[in-house]
Amino acid sequence: MAAPARKILILGGTGEARVLAGLLAEAKGLKTVTSLAGRTAAPELPPGEWRRGGFGGANGLAVYLEREAIGLVADVTHPFAATMSRNAAEACRRTGTAYVRLERPAWRPERGDRWQEVENIAQAAAAISSGARAFLTIGRKDIAAFFARTDTNILARMIEPPEAALPPHVAIFLARPPFTVEGEEVLLKERGITVLVCKNSGGDATNAKLAAARRLGLPVIMIERPEKPAAPSAATPEGLRDLILRLP
Ligand code: NAP
């Protein structure tokens, strides 16, 4: 009798992870479990099995992979979730588990864009001119890096509020993508924004703000991606499904 098919662990927290779980569910005999970090109180849930919460570093993940008989890890985390990707590559190396990744293409500046590219959040916070009114779309985790810039006005959009209390020069509002170019343009104009600060997340769900900034001639402070471990990868969930199906 053939051994039962081993499960695929999808490291999620992105829209593409949900799409991949759906695509693999359609492929006969493939069972998936999607892992969510557990940061969002009401996450959008994927098809198939799911779990939430950290594994306890590379060691904890290696134990999980063996205990749950995981045959392959598909890393579909956000381009800025570098720790999870590093741990996953390391745990897979130690346990001999296949590791593949979705590599969402980065945004590139287009004609009319006024980007200043910076390496990390601290550099982004330092790059805002004194007196500027900045619109931040960096999520809630790193907002504290802007608390010392009391010489600026900060408006930040995020999905859920941060835990830290906000200083008077920082205001937030909650919203979930996707957004339209027209909506972003109205927002930037009505709020009197003079600079946009964002991560180079790539993808279509949140790129409308870049087109709106271009139309308005606004400067953008663009935070470059952290490096992720080398791995067989594809740019889309469909491409990653095909890559997975080609594996032995
Ligand atoms: P991170 O810095 O790379 O990871 C920090 C720790 O969170 C990891 O060491 C791991 O804990 C846990 N973790 C992260 N992703 C996990 C997952 N999918 N399943 C189980 N545990 C996970 O990650 P992050 O930047 O905080 O992002 C957290 C989650 O939000 C990720 O799933 C990511 O895809 C999603 N997300 C991130 C961003 C962003 O800008 N960073 C944007 C949108 C969505 P242990 O060491 O205990 O295993």
Side-chain angles (χ1 to χ4, degrees), residues 9-15 17 34-40 51-58 60-61 75-87 104 137-142 159 199 201 228:
L9 173 65
I10 301 175
L11 297 172
T14 59
T34 301
S35 177
L36 305 170
R39 307 267 198 284
T40 314
R51 63 169 297 287
R52 61 187 293 169
F55 297 96
L61 180 55
D75 180 353
V76 196
T77 55
H78 188 269
F80 279 75
T83 306
M84 186 68 252
S85 294
R86 253 196 328 271
N87 290 349
R104 191 195 291 169
T137 60
I138 56 156
R140 64 176 165 160
K141 199 171 83 168
D142 299 309
I159 292 176
K199 293 174 170 173
S201 300
K228 292 217 179 190

Side-chain angles (χ1 to χ4, degrees), residues 160-185:
E160 289 191 354
E163 277 152 28
L166 300 173
H169 70 288
V170 179
I172 63 155
F173 71 96
L174 306 183
R176 224 182 244 279
F179 306 105
T180 64
V181 180
E182 289 67 30
E184 298 288 59
E185 198 174 338

Side-chain angles (χ1 to χ4, degrees), residues 84-109:
M84 186 68 252
S85 294
R86 253 196 328 271
N87 290 349
E90 172 61 17
C92 287
R93 192 190 58 77
R94 278 194 226 161
T95 55
T97 310
Y99 172 73
V100 297
R101 196 171 59 242
L102 188 128
E103 197 79 52
R104 191 195 291 169
W107 293 318
R108 303 262 170 248

